[in-house]
Amino acid sequence: MTKECKWIVSEAADKAKVDKLAAEVGIDRVLAELLVKRGVETFEQARSFFRPSLSDLHDPFLMKDMDAAVERLHKAVAGGEKILVYGDYDVDGTTAVALVFSFIRRFTSNVDFYIPDRYDEGYGVSFKSIDWAFEGGFGLIITLDCGIKAIDKAEYAASKGVDMIICDHHLPEETLPKAVAVLDPKREDCGYPFDDLSGCGVGFKFVQAYSQRYGVPFETLVPLLDLLVVSIASDLVTMVGENRTLAHFGLKQLNEDPHKGLLAMINLSNLEPGHITIDDIVFKIGPRINAAGRMESGRLAVELLTAQDVSEAMLIGEKINENNNERKNIDREVTREALEMVEGKSCLAHENATVVYNPRWSKGIVGIVASRLVEAYYKPTVVLTKSNGFVTGSARSIAGFDLYEAIENCSDLLENFGGHVYAAGLTMKEENLGEFARRLDAFVAGKIKAEMMVPVVDIDARLDFSQISPKFFRILKQFQPFGPGNSNPVFVTENIYDAGNGRKVGAGGVHLKLDLIQESQPYHQIAAIAFNMAEYYEYIKSGNPLDVCYSIVENYYRGNSTIQLRVKDLREREEII
């Protein structure tokens, strides 16, 4: 059971703007208000929002070092040099490698890819991989979704006569690696108009620039966009601006003509081709691709994503699906152990931050377990294990708290670290473990506010069930693709009850399937799914009233499409004052 949430209904938008937009576009005031809150205030802006265009993409040459990167790649292609495409072992890294590798192999057969081993080499560029590239006669390494901190590795590669082009989207430090080119929209000296691309997104801009310079038709890049939308969704970058445009067309490609490997994942996830959403990527496709790097090798994921034969793709896909099932079993067991440690106060920290350590845990699932602990206790969380003689692990944060800054404050205790505001990885010597936990907890205590430690459900608007008409939902669907910065709107409806068909569903009966009716409008009955809320079953079954906040989704099953409410949180009606 997760912590009780605080509900916050967002402030109303400017009434005059909402009324004007509702009249101009011919839509419900609630939908017009949602648009105004997203900065869409005119008919033209609404048209652009609802009809994204690939012509809206920025010129890739606005990115610092793009010229140098394109020329170095062309020199390698024209000169028959061996090119190594290198990427991280997660979804963003493997999709990026698959995208850039697939593009380059159109022009040369002298290209291979390399994914570091999570357990042997760890995150980022490794000395082992540079030695491998040198011994294999590679003259150019292109890194994707990593490399921005590889200062010593870039120097080492240069000393062996191997050039590097770095494509990354993580925050750089003051000093950049001495590479032929460093493509990173987060560079302070980079004037690129959109800085929240995924790692795969930076790779796409690279191949877009190459295509522009050397006369490759843009239309030939469109089939790569299904790989890109998988990275955008899985890496949780903001779904605004260029990302939203790329994701829109990526979803179209994924639904109409996906790569063979992604089609295998769609089939193995029991998804309906033609009806794939961002949620399907986040909860079904992404975790399976990630499982390859967690349980076996990220190389398997790239082999899947670059497979050109259906039967080959299915064989690899089935192997990755097995990895995912194994990952889920281990994840459940480790989560149980970690929860017991926190409850029994046998963890390293639990007051302001949660820090747990067990040298036996699998390195591949500690990030997932950290997310589970955040759900349970809603505190910045670090889950650690032991690998190659070092303590290593993953950190996850809560809304509004910069966990990267907290870890950076302990950098003198760490061998290395990296990541984002809300998610990071770190490695340290075992003797520093106790001091790290103490200092992290103290740092969090000094920065965090009590109200930040209560999870919040942000509600966009109040809604009556009678307003959820087919037209309302048809327009709401056009707000997609949803993601950070353009979330699926959350509505609240008060004084509702179940029509009497409510039941527990899912393994162990942990979810609720409901048919909800609003007290004041009993003829508007709407199906709902409430994940992990079975504790409310007896209360609901007795016909008691509820207040519910939810998003509205399309439930597509065996050719039939219905509107369904996805419950975010619910409250017993008498608790409301």
Side-chain angles (χ1 to χ4, degrees):
M1 189 167 113
T2 55
K3 281 189 77 167
E4 190 172 320
C5 300
K6 180 180 180 181
W7 294 9
I8 298 177
V9 181
S10 66
E11 290 182 20
D14 184 292
K15 184 178 183 302
K17 289 179 179 176
V18 172
D19 289 343
K20 182 171 178 287
L21 187 65
E24 283 183 359
V25 184
I27 57 172
D28 185 290
R29 275 198 88 261
V30 173
L31 293 169
E33 178 148 8
L34 293 174
L35 287 172
V36 171
K37 286 177 180 176
R38 284 162 169 73
V40 177
E41 298 180 1
T42 67
F43 180 84
E44 282 304 315
Q45 287 173 333
R47 185 165 64 180
S48 176
F49 181 81
F50 287 129
R51 301 282 182 270
S53 169
L54 288 168
S55 63
D56 296 335
L57 298 182
H58 303 302
D59 180 353
F61 286 101
L62 293 173
M63 197 176 293
K64 182 81 173 172
D65 279 5
M66 188 61 84
D67 259 314
V70 167
E71 291 315 308
R72 182 62 185 88
L73 175 57
H74 186 66
K75 180 187 171 192
V77 169
E81 256 183 286
K82 289 184 78 175
I83 303 163
L84 187 65
V85 183
Y86 185 107
D88 188 23
Y89 37 67
D90 69 1
V91 182
D92 193 15
T94 52
T95 52
V97 168
L99 187 151
V100 174
F101 173 80
S102 297
F103 176 78
I104 293 174
R105 77 173 167 192
R106 297 178 188 177
F107 311 104
T108 176
S109 58
N110 286 326
V111 59
D112 201 352
F113 61 85
Y114 190 103
I115 305 291
D117 183 272
R118 181 190 288 265
Y119 300 94
D120 179 36
E121 295 166 85
Y123 170 78
V125 183
S126 68
F127 288 112
K128 178 182 176 180
S129 65
I130 294 167
D131 286 339
W132 187 89
F134 173 70
E135 286 158 17
F138 290 89
L140 176 63
I141 298 175
I142 300 169
T143 77
L144 294 150
D145 191 35
C146 61
I148 198 65
K149 291 188 174 183
I151 295 165
D152 51 348
K153 315 296 194 311
E155 282 182 12
Y156 183 66
S159 75
K160 290 184 166 290
V162 179
D163 284 344
M164 284 178 74
I165 295 171
I166 291 169
C167 305
D168 205 346
H169 70 131
H170 295 97
L171 278 170
E173 293 178 344
E174 281 184 30
T175 306
L176 294 174
K178 288 190 173 69
V180 170
V182 178
L183 305 180
D184 189 334
K186 290 190 176 75
R187 281 178 64 167
E188 278 194 12
D189 60 347
C190 181
Y192 193 72
F194 187 76
D195 72 353
D196 201 31
L197 293 166
S198 64
C200 187
V202 177
F204 180 79
K205 298 309 292 189
F206 182 24
V207 304
Q208 183 192 356
Y210 187 93
S211 301
Q212 236 171 263
R213 177 68 51 86
Y214 290 102
V216 180
F218 182 84
E219 298 71 49
T220 65
L221 303 183
V222 173
L224 300 171
L225 292 178
D226 58 350
L227 296 168
L228 182 46
V229 71
V230 171
S231 96
I232 290 170
S234 302
D235 217 51
L236 298 177
V237 288
T238 51
M239 196 66 78
V240 299
E242 196 163 39
N243 279 343
R244 186 166 177 273
T245 300
L246 291 166
H248 173 88
F249 288 96
L251 275 178
K252 191 171 185 294
Q253 186 67 32
L254 186 64
N255 279 296
E256 292 175 3
D257 187 19
H259 276 77
K260 304 289 190 296
L262 288 175
L263 182 60
M265 288 291 93
I266 289 166
N267 291 332
L268 289 163
S269 304
N270 296 316
L271 295 171
E272 293 266 5
H275 295 270
I276 313 298
T277 65
I278 292 293
D279 274 358
D280 292 328
I281 297 171
V282 172
F283 296 111
K284 300 285 183 69
I285 298 171
R288 282 172 167 78
I289 295 171
N290 247 339
R294 292 185 192 282
M295 308 308 300
E296 191 170 336
S297 167
R299 187 172 177 90
L300 201 60
V302 181
E303 287 171 357
L304 171 82
L305 297 172
T306 56
Q308 294 175 298
D309 176 76
V310 176
S311 56
E312 180 197 359
M314 273 306 288
L315 277 172
I316 302 169
E318 283 165 359
K319 178 66 178 166
I320 286 176
N321 211 38
E322 286 171 25
N323 285 335
N324 190 50
N325 291 332
E326 184 187 351
R327 186 272 305 166
K328 284 195 280 192
N329 291 333
I330 295 170
D331 158 25
R332 272 193 291 269
E333 179 60 24
V334 173
T335 299
R336 184 188 61 76
E337 290 177 11
L339 288 167
E340 285 176 0
M341 287 172 77
V342 179
E343 292 299 319
K345 305 283 193 296
S346 60
C347 48
L348 293 162
H350 61 82
E351 291 293 333
N352 308 291
T354 305
V355 182
V356 292
Y357 169 62
N358 185 324
R360 294 182 294 101
W361 288 339
S362 166
K363 184 182 173 185
I365 51 84
V366 290
I368 299 170
V369 175
S371 296
R372 301 265 191 275
L373 294 185
V374 170
E375 285 173 17
Y377 302 107
Y378 209 68
K379 294 175 182 177
T381 299
V382 184
V383 178
L384 299 162
T385 184
K386 200 166 188 181
S387 178
N388 293 332
F390 288 95
V391 171
T392 185
S394 291
R396 297 291 183 270
S397 195
I398 59 175
F401 186 79
D402 188 340
L403 185 58
Y404 187 85
E405 182 191 12
I407 290 169
E408 194 172 38
N409 182 63
C410 305
S411 60
D412 57 304
L413 300 172
L414 305 176
E415 297 302 300
N416 55 59
F417 67 98
H420 306 281
V421 170
Y422 293 122
L426 61 155
T427 303
M428 73 188 89
K429 292 175 180 168
E430 193 162 17
E431 58 261 34
N432 291 338
L433 193 52
E435 179 63 10
F436 167 78
R438 188 195 67 75
R439 268 179 41 192
L440 183 83
D441 196 63
F443 184 88
V444 172
K447 292 275 187 177
I448 208 159
K449 297 183 177 74
E451 60 266 25
M452 290 167 68
M453 298 180 82
V454 178
V456 168
V457 178
D458 289 308
I459 297 166
D460 292 273
R462 298 180 187 280
L463 201 63
D464 287 331
F465 282 176
S466 61
Q467 292 174 272
I468 308 173
S469 64
K471 181 187 177 184
F472 180 94
F473 185 55
R474 190 172 68 249
I475 296 168
L476 184 64
K477 278 200 295 183
Q478 293 176 48
F479 280 57
Q480 297 182 53
F482 295 125
N486 183 46
S487 300
N488 194 348
V490 175
F491 303 102
V492 64
T493 304
E494 296 168 339
N495 207 13
I496 60 154
Y497 56 93
D498 181 62
N501 303 320
R503 63 190 189 278
K504 294 179 183 180
V505 294
V510 295
H511 312 310
L512 292 179
K513 194 100 169 54
L514 307 168
D515 287 311
L516 298 176
I517 297 173
Q518 192 172 1
E519 178 67 41
S520 59
Q521 298 157 3
Y523 302 109
H524 289 90
Q525 181 173 311
I526 302 184
I529 182 79
F531 293 112
N532 300 307
M533 294 187 195
E535 73 249 35
Y536 292 100
Y537 176 71
E538 294 302 331
Y539 177 89
I540 293 170
K541 193 70 180 165
S542 301
N544 292 309
L546 300 160
D547 291 348
V548 174
C549 55
Y550 54 87
S551 52
I552 308 171
V553 298
E554 185 173 26
N555 186 33
Y556 194 87
Y557 185 67
R558 292 183 178 173
N560 294 316
S561 172
T562 56
I563 293 175
Q564 185 181 65
L565 308 186
R566 183 173 294 157
V567 176
K568 297 280 184 185
D569 199 16
L570 52 81
R571 287 179 179 170
E572 299 173 6
R573 179 69 184 165
E574 48 261 38
E575 289 180 5
I576 309 299
I577 298 170

